[in-house]
């Protein structure tokens, strides 16, 4: 229990969650109630235990479910894409060779991703870099007026 990478708080205080490892840096609960944890690997909490998603590789930094129910996973990878989406019952690696530290969907339905390679938007099935925004972009926020 001393080597646990993920902890939860309950009636008994903080308790380690066994069965998950790899420097957890992100956690997400999808609309079905499934918990996902990302770090050196992607993990899914199902039937009372953590299962590693072996199809997904890279240092997972972001997990996000869009309004269509598609689960997106981003991170950093050496020599390959670091963006994945869960569709048709399996993980599909996306043709985007950049580091992704966040994924967010704005109120107009546009998916945004960012990281060390700037800001990117997903429209009509294609990821395009947002021109005019440079540097490392590691978060995005939309205010009540819809401004990003």
């Amino acid at each position: 229990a001393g080597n646990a990478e993920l902890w939860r708080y309950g009636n008994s205080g903080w308790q380690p969650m066994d069965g998950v490892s790899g420097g957890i840096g992100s956690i997400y609960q999808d609309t079905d109630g499934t918990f996902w944890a990302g770090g050196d690997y992607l993990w899914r909490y199902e039937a009372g235990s953590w299962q590693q998603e072996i199809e997904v590789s890279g240092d997972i930094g972001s997990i996000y479910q869009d309004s269509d129910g598609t689960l997106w996973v981003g991170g950093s990878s050496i020599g390959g894409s670091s963006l994945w989406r869960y569709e048709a019952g399996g993980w599909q690696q996306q043709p985007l060779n950049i580091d992704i530290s966040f994924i967010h969907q704005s109120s107009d339905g546009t998916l945004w991703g960012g990281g060390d390679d700037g800001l990117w938007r997903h429209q009509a099935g294609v990821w395009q870099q947002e021109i005019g925004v440079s540097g490392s972009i590691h978060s995005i926020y939309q205010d009540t007026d819809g401004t990003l």
Side-chain angles (χ1 to χ4, degrees), residues 57-59 75-84 93-100 117:
S57 62
D59 183 14
S76 59
S77 178
I78 297 173
S81 177
S82 56
L83 184 65
W84 299 79
Q93 193 171 23
Q94 300 299 292
L96 188 65
N97 193 16
I98 65 167
D99 291 345
I100 300 286
D117 299 306

Side-chain angles (χ1 to χ4, degrees), residues 44-58:
R44 178 184 73 246
Y45 191 72
E46 188 171 74
S49 67
W50 288 99
Q51 306 296 320
Q52 184 180 347
E53 294 288 305
I54 59 173
E55 299 93 350
V56 178
S57 62

Side-chain angles (χ1 to χ4, degrees), residues 64-66 72 103-106 108-113 120-123 127:
Y64 187 82
Q65 187 175 32
D66 68 23
W72 294 85
I103 303 167
H104 175 77
Q105 188 171 34
S106 56
D108 68 357
T110 302
L111 276 176
W112 298 89
W120 294 72
R121 78 166 61 203
H122 184 261
Q123 287 183 311
W127 285 94

Side-chain angles (χ1 to χ4, degrees), residues 6 20 24 26-28 35-39 41-44 50 63:
L6 190 61
V20 63
I24 301 303
S26 60
I27 189 165
Y28 187 84
F35 280 98
W36 299 87
Y41 312 100
L42 179 64
W43 299 88
R44 178 184 73 246
W50 288 99
I63 306 166

